[in-house]
Amino acid sequence: MEPGVYAAMIIPVRCFTCGSLIGDKWYEYARRVSNGEDPGKVLDDLGVKRYCCRRMFLSHTEIIDKILLYTRVGEVEEEEFAP
């Protein structure tokens, strides 16, 4: 990712199964796959060998931009917490 460019990223820092660090590889993976490279080849180049870690990349979808359309930042209504 280029300096000064902000992008929302909601991917776990570590693999849910083995605990291996994966969050630092996400931007490179996303950039290369969006440029048309094969996801499997990109994961091999990044050194992601375990299938549990590969699953974290291959099954991830960026939905944060869609979720933010339906949230009210800073507003909390009391009736939401009423029993």
Side-chain angles (χ1 to χ4, degrees):
M1 182 161 200
E2 274 124 58
V5 176
Y6 172 77
M9 177 185 81
I10 304 292
I11 187 166
V13 175
R14 294 190 176 273
C15 175
F16 292 152
T17 304
C18 70
S20 179
L21 187 63
I22 60 169
D24 62 333
K25 298 170 181 67
W26 173 252
Y27 287 122
E28 178 70 14
Y29 170 80
R31 181 184 63 79
R32 290 175 62 182
V33 170
S34 68
N35 287 335
E37 288 188 53
D38 177 52
K41 175 81 168 93
V42 174
L43 290 172
D44 289 341
D45 291 346
L46 293 174
V48 181
K49 302 293 183 199
R50 295 183 182 126
Y51 63 89
C52 57
C53 300
R54 293 171 79 89
R55 163 261 341 227
M56 299 292 288
F57 285 93
L58 296 173
S59 64
H60 181 73
T61 57
E62 285 290 335
I63 60 170
I64 188 65
D65 294 329
K66 294 176 184 174
I67 291 172
L68 290 177
L69 295 174
Y70 301 102
T71 59
R72 293 177 290 191
V73 177
E75 293 182 22
V76 177
E77 296 183 18
E78 291 181 25
E79 56 209 35
E80 290 180 22
F81 297 104

